[in-house]
Amino acid sequence: MSFKEAVRVENYELAKTLMAEGRKEQISDEGLKKVKQLMSAGTTYKTYQLLEFDNNEMVLLNLTPNDKYEIQDVVIVPEELKSMFK
């Protein structure tokens, strides 16, 4: 929520403070401006966990949005999308 609000008010420096060290440089102010253009009033928050196996296969778990994490869906990550998670 803090990230969304920082981008909404164009406080990109604050948005970058919420990112992990070493990753802040990976997103530019221009990239954050594009995120702002995509935003709408309503937002749904989802929680995912990626399982990456030694054989380079990946499975994405969609978890419930409450305090008791339960798996709602299991998706085998197709080859063409694996680079997105690396």
Side-chain angles (χ1 to χ4, degrees), residues 19 40 43 59 63 79:
M19 298 181 71
S40 63
T43 303
V59 173
L63 305 177
E79 194 63 40

Side-chain angles (χ1 to χ4, degrees), residues 51-78:
L51 305 179
E52 185 174 4
F53 303 110
D54 290 341
N55 62 0
N56 202 35
E57 294 298 330
M58 295 179 181
V59 173
L60 190 63
L61 306 177
N62 180 357
L63 305 177
T64 57
N66 53 31
D67 292 336
K68 182 182 175 190
Y69 289 124
E70 295 176 304
I71 299 169
Q72 300 185 113
D73 197 8
V74 177
V75 177
I76 297 171
V77 178

Side-chain angles (χ1 to χ4, degrees), residues 6 20 27 41 50:
I27 188 161
L50 178 71

Side-chain angles (χ1 to χ4, degrees), residues 16 19-29 31-32:
K16 289 179 184 181
M19 298 181 71
E21 288 300 322
R23 301 300 300 171
K24 295 176 186 185
E25 299 80 29
Q26 301 300 316
I27 188 161
S28 65
D29 288 358
L32 292 171

Side-chain angles (χ1 to χ4, degrees), residues 8-47:
R8 187 187 70 76
V9 298
E10 298 181 11
N11 188 343
Y12 302 132
E13 290 306 311
L14 176 59
K16 289 179 184 181
T17 67
L18 301 170
M19 298 181 71
E21 288 300 322
R23 301 300 300 171
K24 295 176 186 185
E25 299 80 29
Q26 301 300 316
I27 188 161
S28 65
D29 288 358
E30 194 62 38
L32 292 171
K33 286 177 186 176
K34 289 179 183 177
V35 171
K36 182 182 180 198
Q37 292 171 352
L38 296 174
M39 289 175 22
S40 63
T43 303
T44 301
Y45 299 92
K46 307 243 182 208
T47 302

